[in-house]
Each structure stands twice: as C-alpha cells, then as structure tokens.
Amino acid sequence: MPARSLLVSLVLSLTALAGCGPAAAPPEESEPSNTTRDDIVGGSATSEFPAAGALTRWGSAHCTGTLVAARTVLTAAHCLEDVSAASLKFVIEPSLSSPKTVVAVTAISAHPAYDSAKIENDIGYVTLAADAPVAPIEILPEMDQSWVGQKLSFVGYGITSGHGGGAGVKRLVTMPISAVEATRFVYQTPGKNTCNGDSGGPAFANVGSEWFVAGVTSYGDAGCNYYGVDTRADAFAEFVLGKPAPSEGKPDSAPSDPCHGESYEGRCDGTTVVWCEAEKIHEIACQSCGFDAAKGFFNCL
C-alpha cells in the first residue's frame, strides 16, 4: 500500500509572519520566521457572513473556510496537509461551543503546486457531503494594484492575540490592503491582524452592494503583531470552481469528484481496502480489512 502521510495538524503548530514593508515579499530573518496562521486580532465577535464557517478536525477547532458553491468550501492548502476528509466537518455557527449546523466533508483538494516551504499557492477546497444550508459567496472576479489601500473584512475562528486564547469564536476585523502581488496580498495595521486559527478564512470585499471572497488567510508573523498575507482568491478561481471566474460565467455546481465519493479514510470492499488519495482511487487486497483506529483510516489488518 502506498505510504500515507501522518495525520498531524500543521495548523495547530504554526503561527504567523513577521514585519512587512510596502512590498508584498516576506521580510528578512531579522523578524520572527514565516509560518502559516489561524486567528483574528483587534476584531470583534460576529454572526455576519454565514458563508464563512469553521473547519473542525475530529470535533476540535482546526481552520476557517468559506462556502463558494453549494458543496465547495474554500480554505488554505496548509489546512489540508496530512488530514483526512473523514476527520473534517464544516460548522456554520458563530461559536464552536454550541455547533448546530454541521456538514460532513467527503473530499479534500489542495492546490497541486502548493509549496509548504515557501508558503506559495496556499489554497485549496473541501467538498461537502450535502448542500450547505446557507448561500455561497462568489470569488472576486479580479484584483490589481488599484486595490492597494482598499479595506477588506477578514473573518476567522482563531485566537485573539499571539499569546493564545479566544479560539472557536467567529470574529471579524477590517483592514486595508498594503501591497498586491500576482497570487497574494499583504495587510499591516497596528493592533489588527489575522492569527493562529484563522487559516483558510476569508477576506471579504464589498463591490457596489455585493460581497465577494477576495483572499484566503495564509501566513504572517509569529506574534501576529506586524502583518499578514492572504492568497488571492481570484488568481485560483478556475482551480477551485473547475471553471472560469464569476466574471466569465457563474458557477452553477460543485466541482467534479475524481474519486467518485471515495474518501481518504477509505472503506473495506470485502478484504480489499479502497480509498482516495491525491485525487486518485487506490485499492489493495488484504487477508483481513478493517478500520485502523491508531492511523485513522481503513487498512489491512
């Protein structure tokens, strides 16, 4: 059987980026090192934007995501590393202390060019088992340099400072963009930031009277004090939706499932293990097949 990655949550061990100047490139190592991130600093609890929900793992806070189609939740690629679809749920509630609307995840898709060392192309999506009971929010058709200085609304379920605490509550903070690159943008406002637990969460842009998903929380400084970086959603709209961005044709369904419903957790077909990994169906014949609780998936026993 091809070796499977250990089911270890990268998000729970990572924090944020260090200080940033006017350019969007990461700073030199004089500041704390770059790491992927999770939380909202300097914001307030909110029940707005119901399309923004929490991605929980085995029932605990993990990352944040945004419903962009009936069964498609946009998030960060680093939220999906070494994680099984079966372990994730999408929770649509202002607080994880009283989850009422919980939807199972059947498949996960990180961008194939995601680079965890450089934190590039940090975007992905999960496919839900059923239509979410809230309206999705479309991806922003296009972002360019004219967006520098424009304010976005960032939403996440992360901690409220680099010292921890406050995770599991949906919060919102408004910050302007300080720099725009080809596939990401930077924000740096004293006293405000995203932080640990907000990973994968949305940056919403208001255009006219309509809201769009402009960014996906990716990384920032370790103390959540200096700046943050989002992956631009418009740069990856076709990957997420399986078709051109909304400006070229509105999405009308979830992306196709290359594994036809098979999950990373897998199942037993008699004595054969069947599972989905890297968007391909795998099978292996065993003498005995069953669920391996220690590994969190079906395996030869």
Side-chain angles (χ1 to χ4, degrees):
M1 171 184 288
R4 298 195 190 189
S5 302
L6 294 175
L7 301 180
V8 177
S9 174
L10 175 64
V11 175
L12 297 181
S13 64
L14 296 177
T15 48
L17 262 195
C20 179
E28 297 300 325
E29 289 301 314
S30 57
E31 297 293 351
S33 59
N34 302 348
T35 54
T36 42
R37 75 150 41 141
D38 309 303
D39 142 38
I40 293 292
V41 175
S44 58
T46 184
S47 59
E48 297 182 58
F49 300 110
L55 280 174
T56 62
R57 183 169 181 246
W58 302 125
S60 299
H62 179 63
C63 277
T64 303
T66 312
L67 190 74
V68 293
R71 298 192 181 189
T72 304
V73 175
L74 182 67
T75 191
H78 75 260
C79 291
L80 306 178
E81 282 194 301
D82 304 321
V83 170
S84 69
S87 70
L88 298 177
K89 297 287 190 297
F90 185 54
V91 181
I92 308 169
E93 296 293 339
S95 174
L96 297 185
S97 64
S98 55
K100 297 177 182 177
T101 306
V102 181
V103 187
V105 171
T106 60
I108 59 177
S109 301
H111 194 277
Y114 168 58
D115 187 326
S116 60
K118 297 179 180 179
I119 319 181
E120 293 181 346
N121 305 309
D122 188 12
I123 195 167
Y125 62 88
V126 305
T127 303
L128 303 179
D131 290 3
V134 296
I137 295 184
E138 292 184 350
I139 290 174
L140 183 71
E142 184 178 11
M143 177 181 284
D144 55 30
Q145 293 298 323
S146 69
W147 280 80
V148 173
Q150 295 198 41
K151 292 183 178 180
L152 303 180
S153 295
F154 296 78
V155 177
Y157 285 78
I159 58 177
T160 56
S161 77
H163 302 292
V169 174
K170 187 177 186 178
R171 292 186 174 86
L172 179 150
V173 66
T174 300
M175 295 178 284
I177 296 174
S178 60
V180 174
E181 287 189 344
T183 60
R184 54 192 178 187
F185 60 83
V186 176
Y187 40 96
Q188 43 187 155
T189 301
K192 296 182 178 182
N193 212 337
T194 53
C195 196
N196 300 338
D198 298 324
S199 284
F204 289 118
N206 187 261
V207 181
S209 59
E210 189 172 357
W211 288 97
F212 294 90
V213 184
V216 174
T217 299
S218 179
Y219 66 94
D221 69 273
C224 308
N225 297 317
Y226 299 100
Y227 70 91
V229 178
D230 267 34
T231 303
R232 281 176 50 181
D234 65 305
F236 298 94
E238 188 166 356
F239 159 70
V240 176
L241 300 171
K243 55 185 67 181
S247 60
E248 303 174 41
K250 294 181 181 291
D252 54 12
S253 64
S256 60
D257 178 8
C259 287
H260 306 291
E262 301 292 353
S263 69
Y264 180 85
E265 180 185 46
R267 62 184 176 85
C268 288
D269 184 0
T271 57
T272 299
V273 182
V274 182
W275 78 97
C276 173
E277 188 170 7
E279 299 189 349
K280 293 183 179 179
I281 296 176
H282 300 267
E283 295 184 4
I284 186 168
C286 313
Q287 291 185 342
S288 177
C289 174
F291 184 75
D292 189 332
K295 295 182 177 179
F297 50 71
F298 284 84
N299 206 353
C300 293
L301 302 178

